[in-house]
Amino acid sequence: MPDASNSGGRVEFTGVTKRFVTPTGAAMTAIRDVNLIVEPGTFCAVVGPTGCGKSTTLTLAAGLERASGGSVRVSGHEVDGITKGVSFVFQTDALLPWKSVLANVALGPIFRRVDKHQAHAEAEIWLKTVGLNAFGNHYPHQLSGGMRKRVSLAAALINKPSLLLMDEPFSALDVQTRAIMSNELLRLWEKTRPTVLFVTHDLEEAIGLADQVVVMTAGPATVKAVYKIDLPRPRGDMQEVRFDPKFLDLYKQIWESLREEVDRAYARTTEISSVKGVSQ
Amino acid sequence: MSADCTKAESDMASVTIPAAISESTIARNAQIRMRKRKRFVLASQLGTFIFIIGSWQIMADYKIIDPFFFGSPGGIVFRLYDWAQNGTAYGPLWLQVWVTLEEAILGFCLGVVTGIIFGVSLAEFPLLSDILGPYIKAVNAMPRIVLGSIFVIWLGLGLPSKVVLAAVLVFFVVFFNAFEGVRSVDRNFISNARILGASRLQVIRHVVFPSAMTWIIASLHVALGFSIIGAIVGEFLGAQQGLGLVIATAQNNFDANGVFGAMLMIGIIALGAEAIMGKVEKRLLKWRPRAASDQTSAGM
Ligand SMILES: Nc1ncnc2c1ncn2[C@@H]1O[C@H](COP(=O)(O)OP(=O)(O)OP(=O)(O)O)[C@@H](O)[C@H]1O
Ligand SMILES: [Mg+2]
């Protein structure tokens, strides 16, 4: 199974801290002392309460932001500027509305200065892979949410990333479409086997897809626990895996761990607002 | 998935045939109503035109208003005919039109290009915009028409002074829109492009510029009007040819029909330019959802 694209893509966070400067000039810590290793070609899901710092973790791996402390390494290299060999799928799709679907998928090669015909030919192949070859000339707004997500996937995978970062990619979709997209993602992932770092709020999705699930604490986030998901691959249909007793067992364990953090994050926000309410 | 969907839809269609028929009837009725409304609007517009022009002519004929001050539609047509046949005091009529048009077009192009360049670069380099911001606001707050006098002194009575005045008027409109357009680009688009490997210039070319284009295009309508104003006012302030000069001369001669006649010419030019602009806009923004463009055309 291992191939050339499999050698890279190892993600290694060592004692990573990220502080932001708020618009008022104060500093706030988004994540602190995060230690995390994702082996090449494995699928890692990240769950945690809202606002804890999951997206921040991904932007650090992508090189969109620099860590304030600690070391972020991808494929053995210290991240410094945009990381080579990564693709990112955002929650709200980042398809350019003024470009056709085909041109959107072809962006990766175009940016690498591949000749336009060649780039479009490559994009055709990827559109076919996600089953949308008939929609190349459409504009993104003419597609359904699920179709746009598939285009986003094609646009991300055309660069043959060794690391695929996904930030709640399916959370804007309805439940049925989300299940379909999960299966689709697994199918595509099996083909090229990039390392995947996948942020989600949906624990079922996390367990169904991943080899390991990382639970993060309430913000400033750090890694609370890592669970190995030793369900056999290929997983097959997401809908069926859910009824596997092993799945249910894992779900219970991880949910216990996650719920504590969600409760803590919730208590903190209500505390803050009630204090504010009293002082006003 | 899509195959399943279409199958389900066609199944539904075959079950609910009566509903489908009534739907098409509704659609047809709506279309008929829309067509009727459109015809009514057009007829009313024509009626209003005839009413205004007609009463103007009648009131002038019966001396209810003084045709010496207010002119009359007949007089305007006669004046235009006279100009077309015998030329104005400064040469043939078409030459006056062409001179003004040339100044406006050159000023428009110059203003749009510099406006976009400055707008995009200042938005791309926040430090620069922080430093230059107050000066730009100060210059913008000044009544720029008076700059026309300076331009006439500097550049003389010929074409350049008018082109520069028109360009200055156009510049600020386009500049502020380009600036705002660049600043409001979705950060996700930029992040995504950078991750896909885009260089800074590629980000500008493929993401920032097209995104700002909606803002820029919105400003072009106003800019177009300003370019014509710039050319005319420039000619007012000092020129040897052009419609602005024709108006100024007519004014000095108390020739109301002459002023209105030149105004009519300018109006026709502006309408023509606006129509071309609309076509260009439609082309450039063809990627936008249909609903939005329908709304704008309905609002026109
Ligand atoms: N650019 C920024 N400037 C200042 N603060 C930021 C910035 N980006 C994120 N933060 C802060 O960092 C914290 C973590 O944000 P992040 O987006 O990583 O959370 P998250 O876990 O992805 O949340 P969610 O699950 O809701 O998406 C938040 O408190 C947020 O306000
Ligand atoms: Mg997030």
Coordinates of all heavy atoms in Angstrom, one line a residue, chain A residues 97-98, chain B residues 177-178 180-182 184-185 207-221 281 284-289 292:
Chain A
P97 N -16.4 32.3 -6.8 CA -17.7 32.3 -7.5 C -17.6 32.8 -8.9 O -18.5 32.6 -9.7 CB -18.5 33.3 -6.6 CG -17.5 34.0 -5.8 CD -16.3 33.2 -5.6
W98 N -16.5 33.5 -9.3 CA -16.4 34.0 -10.6 C -15.6 33.1 -11.6 O -15.4 33.4 -12.7 CB -15.6 35.4 -10.6 CG -14.4 35.4 -9.8 CD1 -13.1 35.0 -10.3 CD2 -14.2 35.7 -8.5 NE1 -12.2 35.1 -9.3 CE2 -12.9 35.5 -8.1 CE3 -15.1 36.2 -7.5 CZ2 -12.4 35.8 -6.9 CZ3 -14.6 36.5 -6.2 CH2 -13.3 36.3 -5.9
Chain B
N177 N -13.7 52.8 -4.4 CA -14.4 51.5 -4.6 C -13.4 50.4 -4.7 O -13.6 49.3 -4.2 CB -15.3 51.6 -5.8 CG -16.7 52.1 -5.4 OD1 -17.6 51.3 -5.1 ND2 -16.9 53.4 -5.4
A178 N -12.3 50.6 -5.5 CA -11.3 49.6 -5.6 C -10.7 49.2 -4.3 O -10.5 48.1 -3.9 CB -10.2 50.0 -6.6
E180 N -12.0 49.7 -1.2 CA -13.0 49.0 -0.4 C -13.2 47.6 -0.9 O -13.3 46.6 -0.1 CB -14.3 49.8 -0.4 CG -15.1 49.6 0.8 CD -14.3 49.8 2.1 OE1 -13.6 50.8 2.2 OE2 -14.5 48.9 3.0
G181 N -13.2 47.4 -2.2 CA -13.4 46.1 -2.8 C -12.3 45.1 -2.4 O -12.6 44.0 -2.1
V182 N -11.1 45.6 -2.5 CA -10.0 44.7 -2.1 C -10.0 44.4 -0.7 O -9.7 43.2 -0.3 CB -8.6 45.4 -2.5 CG1 -7.4 44.7 -1.9 CG2 -8.5 45.6 -4.0
S184 N -12.5 44.0 1.2 CA -13.6 43.2 1.6 C -13.5 41.8 1.0 O -14.5 41.0 1.0 CB -15.0 43.8 1.2 OG -15.0 44.0 -0.2
V185 N -12.4 41.4 0.4 CA -12.2 40.1 -0.2 C -12.3 39.1 0.9 O -11.7 39.2 2.0 CB -10.9 40.0 -0.9 CG1 -10.7 38.6 -1.4 CG2 -10.8 41.0 -2.0
V207 N -7.8 36.2 -7.3 CA -8.7 36.3 -6.2 C -9.1 37.7 -5.9 O -10.2 38.1 -6.0 CB -8.1 35.6 -5.0 CG1 -9.1 35.7 -3.8 CG2 -7.7 34.2 -5.2
V208 N -8.1 38.5 -5.6 CA -8.4 39.9 -5.1 C -9.0 40.7 -6.2 O -10.0 41.3 -6.0 CB -7.1 40.5 -4.6 CG1 -7.3 42.0 -4.3 CG2 -6.5 39.8 -3.4
F209 N -8.4 40.7 -7.4 CA -8.9 41.6 -8.4 C -10.3 41.3 -8.9 O -11.2 42.1 -8.9 CB -7.9 41.7 -9.6 CG -8.3 42.6 -10.7 CD1 -8.2 44.0 -10.4 CD2 -8.7 42.2 -11.9 CE1 -8.6 44.9 -11.3 CE2 -9.1 43.1 -12.9 CZ -9.0 44.5 -12.6
P210 N -10.6 40.0 -9.2 CA -12.0 39.7 -9.6 C -13.0 40.0 -8.5 O -14.1 40.4 -8.8 CB -11.9 38.2 -9.9 CG -10.5 37.8 -10.1 CD -9.7 38.8 -9.3
S211 N -12.6 39.7 -7.3 CA -13.5 40.0 -6.2 C -13.8 41.5 -6.1 O -14.9 41.9 -5.9 CB -12.9 39.4 -4.9 OG -13.7 39.8 -3.8
A212 N -12.7 42.3 -6.2 CA -12.9 43.7 -6.1 C -13.7 44.3 -7.3 O -14.2 45.4 -7.3 CB -11.6 44.4 -6.0
M213 N -13.7 43.5 -8.4 CA -14.3 43.9 -9.7 C -15.8 44.3 -9.5 O -16.2 45.2 -10.1 CB -14.1 42.8 -10.7 CG -14.1 43.2 -12.1 SD -12.8 44.4 -12.3 CE -13.4 45.3 -13.8
T214 N -16.5 43.6 -8.7 CA -17.9 43.9 -8.5 C -18.0 45.4 -7.9 O -18.9 46.1 -8.4 CB -18.6 43.0 -7.5 OG1 -17.6 42.6 -6.5 CG2 -19.2 41.8 -8.1
W215 N -17.1 45.7 -7.0 CA -17.1 47.1 -6.5 C -16.7 48.1 -7.5 O -17.3 49.1 -7.7 CB -16.2 47.2 -5.3 CG -16.6 46.5 -4.0 CD1 -16.8 45.2 -3.8 CD2 -17.1 47.2 -2.9 NE1 -17.2 45.0 -2.5 CE2 -17.4 46.2 -1.9 CE3 -17.2 48.6 -2.5 CZ2 -17.9 46.6 -0.7 CZ3 -17.6 48.9 -1.3 CH2 -18.0 47.9 -0.4
I216 N -15.7 47.7 -8.2 CA -15.2 48.7 -9.2 C -16.2 48.9 -10.3 O -16.5 50.1 -10.7 CB -13.9 48.1 -9.9 CG1 -12.8 48.0 -8.8 CG2 -13.4 48.9 -11.1 CD1 -11.5 47.3 -9.2
I217 N -16.9 47.9 -10.8 CA -17.9 48.0 -11.8 C -19.0 48.9 -11.3 O -19.5 49.7 -12.1 CB -18.4 46.6 -12.3 CG1 -17.3 46.0 -13.1 CG2 -19.7 46.8 -13.1 CD1 -17.5 44.6 -13.5
A218 N -19.4 48.7 -10.1 CA -20.5 49.5 -9.5 C -20.1 51.0 -9.6 O -20.9 51.9 -9.8 CB -20.7 49.1 -8.1
S219 N -18.8 51.3 -9.4 CA -18.3 52.7 -9.4 C -18.3 53.3 -10.9 O -18.3 54.5 -11.0 CB -17.0 52.8 -8.8 OG -16.0 52.3 -9.7
L220 N -18.2 52.4 -11.9 CA -18.0 52.9 -13.2 C -19.2 53.7 -13.7 O -19.0 54.6 -14.5 CB -17.7 51.7 -14.2 CG -16.3 51.0 -13.9 CD1 -16.0 50.0 -15.0 CD2 -15.2 52.0 -13.8
H221 N -20.4 53.3 -13.3 CA -21.5 54.1 -13.7 C -21.4 55.5 -13.3 O -21.6 56.5 -14.1 CB -22.8 53.5 -13.1 CG -23.2 52.2 -13.8 ND1 -23.9 52.2 -15.0 CD2 -23.1 50.9 -13.5 CE1 -24.1 51.0 -15.4 NE2 -23.6 50.2 -14.4
E281 N -20.9 45.5 -18.2 CA -21.1 45.0 -16.8 C -21.7 43.6 -16.9 O -21.2 42.7 -16.1 CB -22.0 46.0 -16.1 CG -22.4 45.5 -14.7 CD -23.2 46.5 -14.0 OE1 -23.6 47.5 -14.6 OE2 -23.5 46.3 -12.8
L284 N -19.0 41.1 -17.7 CA -17.9 40.9 -16.7 C -18.5 40.2 -15.5 O -17.8 39.5 -14.8 CB -17.3 42.3 -16.3 CG -16.4 42.9 -17.3 CD1 -16.0 44.3 -16.8 CD2 -15.2 42.0 -17.5
L285 N -19.8 40.4 -15.2 CA -20.4 39.8 -14.0 C -21.3 38.7 -14.3 O -22.2 38.4 -13.6 CB -21.1 40.9 -13.2 CG -20.3 42.0 -12.7 CD1 -21.1 43.0 -11.9 CD2 -19.2 41.5 -11.8
K286 N -21.0 38.0 -15.4 CA -21.9 36.9 -15.8 C -21.9 35.7 -14.9 O -22.8 34.9 -14.9 CB -21.6 36.5 -17.3 CG -20.3 35.7 -17.5 CD -20.3 35.2 -18.9 CE -19.2 34.2 -19.1 NZ -17.9 34.7 -19.0
W287 N -20.9 35.7 -14.0 CA -20.8 34.6 -13.1 C -21.8 34.7 -11.9 O -22.0 33.8 -11.1 CB -19.4 34.4 -12.5 CG -18.9 35.7 -12.0 CD1 -18.1 36.7 -12.6 CD2 -19.0 36.2 -10.6 NE1 -17.8 37.7 -11.8 CE2 -18.3 37.4 -10.6 CE3 -19.6 35.7 -9.5 CZ2 -18.3 38.2 -9.4 CZ3 -19.6 36.5 -8.3 CH2 -18.9 37.7 -8.3
R288 N -22.4 35.9 -11.8 CA -23.2 36.2 -10.6 C -24.5 35.4 -10.7 O -25.1 35.3 -11.8 CB -23.4 37.6 -10.4 CG -22.2 38.3 -9.8 CD -22.7 39.4 -8.8 NE -23.2 40.5 -9.5 CZ -23.2 41.7 -9.0 NH1 -22.7 41.9 -7.8 NH2 -23.7 42.7 -9.7
P289 N -25.1 35.0 -9.5 CA -26.4 34.4 -9.6 C -27.4 35.2 -10.3 O -27.5 36.4 -10.2 CB -26.7 34.3 -8.1 CG -25.5 34.3 -7.4 CD -24.5 35.1 -8.2
A292 N -29.8 37.9 -8.5 CA -29.3 39.2 -8.2 C -29.3 40.2 -9.4 O -29.7 41.3 -9.3 CB -27.8 39.1 -7.7

